[in-house]
Amino acid sequence: MTRDEARALDAADPLRRLRERFALPEGVIYLDGNSLGALPRATPARMAETVEREWGEGLIRSWNDAGWIDAPTRVAAKIAPLIGAKPDEVVVADSTSVNLYKLLMAALAARPGRRVIVTEPGNFPTDLYMAQGIAAGGQVEVRTAPRDRIIEAIDETVAVVMLTHVHYRTAEMFDMAAVTTAAQGAGALMLWDLSHSAGAVPVDLGAANADLAVGCGYKYLNGGPGAPAFLYVAERHQALLTSPLTGWMGHAAPFEFGDDYAPCPTMRRWLCGTPPILGLAALEAGLATFDGVDPTALYAKGQALADLFVAEVEAKCPGLTLASPRERTQRGSHISFAHTDGFPVMAALIARGVIGDFRGPDLLRFGFTPLYTSFEEVWRAADILADLLASGAWDDERYRARGKVT
Ligand SMILES: Cc1ncc(COP(=O)(O)O)c(C=O)c1O
């Protein structure tokens, strides 16, 4: 494809104006929205409003007057349509790691006599570490099996199967309905990590009959660094599952200040401490970037951007090997290419204004966020990468120095 042809795709793109909802710096091609979403244009004003008016002037009255107390469920209701959930099946709370802990513990408690958590090796580290922390008590076992053998690993000893829907390194995507059915067929609960899925690929937890899910607020949902995470419990389980972190905000009547814990009947039972209002305000502004957007068109554009990148890189960069599925339906919205010197290549690429990231030992990872990435940018990114590789300019001490790339 030529640059003009890429420009023509942008001109014909019905979603191109959505980019105006973001404040992206000049001279940067941002292909890391799968790690930290870009800043929505409306977020600074929303933060100023929350800080100066709601906090500064409203003071403690804002828990009621500004709707702070309802923010965890109000913001969650805006995530629900992006993941095929009902509004009252989702809550925003804590981090993804903490939510994994809460749901794993709840699932184990709901399956007495079963002590195994099944997951895959190479799952996102925090998923593995949280499960390992639970197993360190000696009562629980973590069983790992490669993704093509995962279903065989699920037997009558398994309490919960925990998998990341879109793999953080390769973007490989599980068949959510098939794995969920297999887990449930063996009597286990299914817990999906949607961190690389929500806002990027079609997710229908309801249609998949999913039991439990978690996900990040700061990636495709544009909630800002360290944004609070979300947690999903299917309606049919809500009365049965309880949080192991029985903080006062999950109590049925927190402001009665009673001595004994009683879980809230709604998803608020998954709250622990006081909700992070500033983070919730930024996440709500992030979610507003999806307002009025046709999800089918959004997903189609994300995949078209990724296809263009794969085609251009494969045509122009002989030293790179595709490490993500070629088939659209089998991957999320990022693409990884392997290069033995991936670290300095990515560092040099970032120095040239193309921001992706590096995932060791050898992956260059590029995220395609259809809300704000253009076809011309994708074309340019591949061109700059090809130029860099052909010149060998990445092979420099400056870029080889280890440190965090992004
Ligand atoms: C699959 C997955 N789960 C969880 C996390 C992060 O969890 P937390 O928000 O607790 O840092 C990430 C971050 O990249 C992730 O990719």
Side-chain angles (χ1 to χ4, degrees), residues 351-373:
R352 281 161 179 70
V354 179
I355 303 182
D357 58 26
F358 171 74
R359 288 293 174 267
D362 60 354
L363 292 184
L364 304 169
R365 193 176 69 155
F366 303 90
F368 302 96
T369 41
L371 286 173
Y372 50 81
T373 305

Side-chain angles (χ1 to χ4, degrees), residues 95-97 124 126-127 164 168 193 195-196 216 218-219:
S95 62
T96 308
S97 306
F124 188 77
T126 213
D127 300 59
T164 299
Y168 78 103
D193 185 335
S195 292
H196 285 276
C216 289
Y218 49 78
K219 298 178 185 292

Side-chain angles (χ1 to χ4, degrees), residues 98-108 160 189 191 212-214 230-233 241 244 270:
V98 172
N99 289 338
L100 283 166
Y101 177 80
K102 290 187 286 193
L103 290 182
L104 285 173
M105 292 295 283
L108 284 156
V160 54
L189 289 162
L191 166 53
L212 309 167
V214 296
F230 65 88
L231 176 158
Y232 158 94
V233 177
L241 298 189
W270 299 99

Side-chain angles (χ1 to χ4, degrees), residues 317-320 338-352 358 364 384-402:
C317 307
L320 297 182
H339 186 288
T340 42
D341 278 308
F343 185 88
V345 170
M346 182 51 77
L349 192 63
I350 291 170
R352 281 161 179 70
F358 171 74
L364 304 169
I384 294 168
L385 176 59
D387 224 51
L388 175 69
L389 290 169
S391 70
W394 55 268
D395 193 4
D396 184 298
E397 268 321 300
R398 270 179 307 158
Y399 303 130
R400 284 191 182 278
R402 294 302 282 201

